[in-house]
Amino acid sequence: MQAAARRPRTNHLDLAQRILDVARQRGFEPGARLPEQQIASLCNVSRTPVRAALSLLADRGVVRWEADSGYHLAIDLTAQPAIAAELPVTEEDELAEAILRDRSARRLDQTVTAAGLMRRYNAERKTVLKALNKLTEENLLDRAPGQSWLFRRAPDDPEAQGESYEFRLLLEPAAILTPGFRLDGGRAAALRQGMEALSALPDAAFDTREFQRLDIDFHGMIAEGCANRFVADALAGHLRLRRLPGIYGGVNVFRLRQSLLEHLNILDHLESRQYEVAADLLRVHLRLSRSQRPQAASRGAPALFGMISRPE
């Protein structure tokens, strides 16, 4: 790993990603101004870290600086989401990702120690502790007695995946039907553009990582729209587990494309405030994803509406 001193600060990287998320959710187009004070207000921070974060984005060509008017968005975030997400990483972020990859590949036991990780990755203690704290804050690890940490169970095997979908089937449609549900219009519009752009790509160019980002963001939007904070928190915590490597392994591109169309159909009804229909469609979507049998949705037409049934 490179020396930590050569890497950007973690808070500046996090803020850079938040700026991209805000710009995407609000539908900012190429050339849109990014006033430091406005960004600071939207991200609830001071102008100093915003300036540093925008400078990072400028180094990556995502934004550009003009002497007379400040920073402007330089790319189309909906057409180039993967490029926009390619930010440099800190040493602890890189280590955290390596830990997750090795755990997903079963190269790490369920319980790990700081000393063991230091030896395995030839990393300094402070870097290991920062990586472990990051994973703990994201609810991917639990602190155990002594200097050990315990991985939370992830939906990365058939049994756990089945339990994951049962959990989501119980809560996600209920989140839509909770009184006070609110859809973030800007975020929904940005998601629609991203999903339509990905759907338009040929199979050879289909980006599974971009699908994962859009999938998690779509379901995260539903969770955050729920007015019941306990339901919202439970869903948000579970969604963090779905960003682990390997969660989307074994699913073919046909099914992923189909999922995008299902997302768009659900989004149509959310935007029309047809929440009961959207909840029904979401149940069908989750059941199809659980079965991972694309042919189940292509028997007859229309595919989704023919399968809807309300619980008695």
Side-chain angles (χ1 to χ4, degrees):
M1 294 185 184
Q2 299 177 19
R6 298 180 182 177
R7 297 174 184 262
R9 291 172 56 179
T10 301
N11 63 323
H12 293 163
L13 283 168
D14 290 344
L15 182 55
Q17 188 60 60
R18 285 169 62 192
I19 291 172
L20 294 182
D21 291 342
V22 167
R24 185 181 294 112
Q25 291 165 14
R26 291 178 173 266
F28 286 8
E29 297 181 350
R33 287 191 64 238
L34 300 172
E36 293 176 9
Q37 186 57 58
Q38 180 188 13
I39 297 298
S41 298
L42 290 172
C43 296
N44 196 28
V45 295
S46 66
R47 292 179 63 177
T48 300
V50 166
R51 193 173 297 117
L54 288 171
S55 178
L56 282 174
L57 293 174
D59 290 341
R60 306 297 294 182
V62 178
V63 304
R64 67 175 185 273
W65 164 260
E66 296 181 4
D68 58 340
S69 55
Y71 287 100
H72 294 254
L73 187 62
I75 67 170
D76 185 345
L77 291 176
T78 60
Q80 305 180 66
I83 295 176
E86 289 178 358
L87 294 173
V89 295
T90 61
E91 192 170 19
E92 57 266 26
D93 286 340
E94 188 176 81
L95 177 57
E97 291 299 321
I99 291 171
L100 291 181
R101 286 196 302 271
D102 285 348
R103 173 56 187 165
S104 179
R106 298 296 191 270
R107 291 189 289 265
L108 287 175
D109 293 332
Q110 187 175 11
T111 301
V112 294
T113 64
L117 295 176
M118 288 169 61
R119 290 191 297 271
R120 179 180 181 87
Y121 298 103
N122 191 28
E124 296 181 358
R125 182 177 181 81
K126 64 178 182 180
T127 303
V128 169
L129 291 177
K130 285 181 178 179
L132 290 171
N133 287 334
K134 174 183 175 65
L135 295 175
T136 301
E137 290 172 358
E138 294 179 354
N139 293 323
L140 300 173
L141 286 177
D142 286 321
R143 186 68 185 266
Q147 289 295 309
S148 59
W149 281 259
L150 183 69
F151 283 100
R152 291 195 172 191
R153 188 178 184 188
D156 57 355
D157 62 70
E159 181 182 358
Q161 287 176 6
E163 293 175 357
S164 170
Y165 278 111
E166 289 299 329
F167 174 84
R168 296 173 65 196
L169 277 163
L170 286 170
L171 287 188
E172 283 197 47
I176 293 175
L177 297 177
T178 300
F181 177 85
R182 295 184 63 183
L183 182 69
D184 184 330
R187 185 173 181 181
L191 269 171
R192 179 182 294 280
Q193 288 182 317
M195 290 187 291
E196 290 175 345
L198 184 59
S199 295
L201 295 176
D203 286 357
F206 194 92
D207 188 342
T208 304
R209 292 176 301 175
E210 174 61 5
F211 173 85
Q212 181 177 18
R213 184 190 72 79
L214 290 168
D215 183 52
I216 291 173
D217 201 17
F218 174 79
H219 290 281
M221 177 183 66
I222 291 175
E224 292 174 21
C226 180
N228 186 309
R229 58 186 173 181
F230 297 104
V231 173
D233 288 347
L235 285 172
H238 187 74
L239 282 171
R240 293 189 188 98
L241 297 175
R242 292 182 58 77
R243 80 171 184 84
L244 295 175
I247 297 298
Y248 293 76
V251 184
N252 60 40
V253 171
F254 179 86
R255 174 57 200 153
L256 299 183
R257 289 187 180 280
Q258 193 176 52
S259 291
L260 289 173
L261 295 178
E262 292 162 13
H263 286 171
L264 290 167
N265 198 10
I266 294 166
L267 187 55
D268 287 341
H269 290 84
L270 288 175
E271 290 176 331
S272 300
R273 299 190 178 184
Q274 296 176 313
Y275 295 140
E276 291 191 7
V277 177
D280 282 337
L281 291 172
L282 180 55
R283 289 189 188 95
V284 174
H285 166 67
L286 291 172
R287 287 171 183 152
L288 290 175
S289 297
R290 178 180 59 184
S291 69
Q292 295 189 4
R293 290 189 301 230
Q295 67 272 19
S298 58
R299 298 172 183 166
L304 291 176
F305 284 98
M307 300 180 66
I308 293 175
S309 61
R310 293 183 181 276
E312 298 180 357

